[in-house]
Amino acid sequence: MKKWMILVVVIGMLVWSVSDFFDSKENSAERFENADGEEEIESIEEEEKIENSEEEGQIDNENKNEEVVTGLDIGNMAPDFQLETLTGDKVKLSDFRGHRVMINFWATWCPPCRAEMPDIEKFHQDKEIVILAVNLTDTESSIKDVNKFADEYQLTFPILMDSNLDVSTLYHIHPIPTTYMIDSNGLISFKAFGAMNYDMMVQEFEKMK
């Protein structure tokens, strides 16, 4: 009778041990499965975040490109052009990207142009500004008048000859003088219809980047 009871106890213990072994193995497998699943979900989420950030970056770049348009309004990219100077050199607006530029449309017969020209020369001497003085050459009596004007006012910046008024037409010039201030990125930051004085030039210059 005792042997039978001992045998029953031993068999019960064996059954419990086997059952506990398989339960623990099954729980471990579940834990590994859950861990793998969580890692897979985290990996997918990270990939989605990267894709979303890349898409947002592309959209931002596209929006920036769309915002910058060539035109004559403040914030527009200034229309590019190329003209010959009074001395025969070729000058292109886009060659001065990275510098602040003042484009001044003028003629020798224009009294306000004469009035502001000494201030433009002083502005050119005092500040790191590129001056492109576009002469409406087709309206002049003679090229000699332009040479005489430059000598009289001792101008040290380039005089650009708009012989066919192509650039004047491109910039819709009606009254003269007309001035455009272009920042280092080539964007129009200011425009003036009529003569400017030195203080106005410096004020707008300091606003530009």
Side-chain angles (χ1 to χ4, degrees):
M1 185 70 176
K2 288 182 179 180
K3 290 180 178 181
W4 182 80
M5 289 181 67
I6 292 170
L7 184 60
V8 169
V9 170
V10 170
I11 292 172
M13 290 178 68
L14 286 173
V15 170
W16 178 84
S17 297
V18 171
S19 175
D20 183 63
F21 172 77
F22 281 108
D23 285 344
S24 62
K25 188 173 182 181
E26 189 173 321
N27 289 336
S28 296
E30 287 178 356
R31 283 198 299 272
F32 280 117
E33 287 176 1
N34 290 336
D36 290 341
E38 288 174 359
E39 289 178 0
E40 185 175 351
I41 290 170
E42 289 177 359
S43 177
I44 292 171
E45 288 177 348
E46 287 297 325
E47 288 178 2
E48 287 178 350
K49 287 179 180 178
I50 293 171
E51 288 176 359
N52 289 336
S53 63
E54 288 176 352
E55 287 176 0
E56 288 174 359
Q58 290 175 356
I59 291 171
D60 287 342
N61 289 334
E62 289 174 0
N63 288 338
K64 287 178 182 177
N65 292 332
E66 288 175 1
E67 288 172 3
V68 180
V69 297
T70 300
L72 299 176
D73 292 329
I74 304 298
N76 286 169
M77 182 70 65
D80 198 13
F81 61 84
Q82 178 174 290
L83 289 173
E84 282 193 5
T85 68
L86 194 57
T87 57
D89 298 321
K90 290 185 178 179
V91 172
K92 193 174 184 180
L93 173 61
S94 56
D95 290 341
F96 299 101
R97 192 65 50 81
H99 301 275
R100 287 171 280 189
V101 178
M102 175 180 176
I103 308 172
N104 179 256
F105 293 86
W106 67 284
T108 61
W109 47 263
C110 162
C113 300
R114 287 180 171 273
E116 75 172 355
M117 202 58 72
D119 282 359
I120 295 177
E121 176 61 29
K122 177 176 171 55
F123 181 46
H124 178 246
Q125 295 288 343
D126 291 350
K127 302 295 181 181
E128 292 186 6
I129 183 78
V130 175
I131 306 289
L132 299 180
V134 180
N135 174 257
L136 278 64
T137 313
D138 192 53
T139 69
E140 299 285 359
S141 299
S142 170
I143 297 295
K144 292 180 181 179
D145 292 340
V146 183
N147 275 297
K148 183 180 178 181
F149 184 95
D151 291 340
E152 179 184 349
Y153 288 91
Q154 299 180 345
L155 304 180
T156 60
F157 46 79
I159 305 296
L160 278 58
M161 312 303 288
D162 193 9
S163 300
N164 299 316
L165 303 185
D166 292 334
V167 178
S168 302
T169 301
L170 178 63
Y171 275 76
H172 300 173
I173 302 304
H174 294 296
I176 56 172
T178 292
T179 298
Y180 283 86
M181 305 289 277
I182 315 297
D183 71 15
S184 59
N185 294 316
L187 304 179
I188 297 172
S189 66
F190 175 79
K191 53 186 178 180
F193 305 107
M196 296 178 66
N197 60 38
Y198 177 79
D199 291 337
M200 291 172 62
M201 296 173 195
V202 172
Q203 181 180 351
E204 294 305 326
F205 171 81
E206 291 176 348
K207 291 179 183 177
M208 291 194 293
K209 55 184 178 180

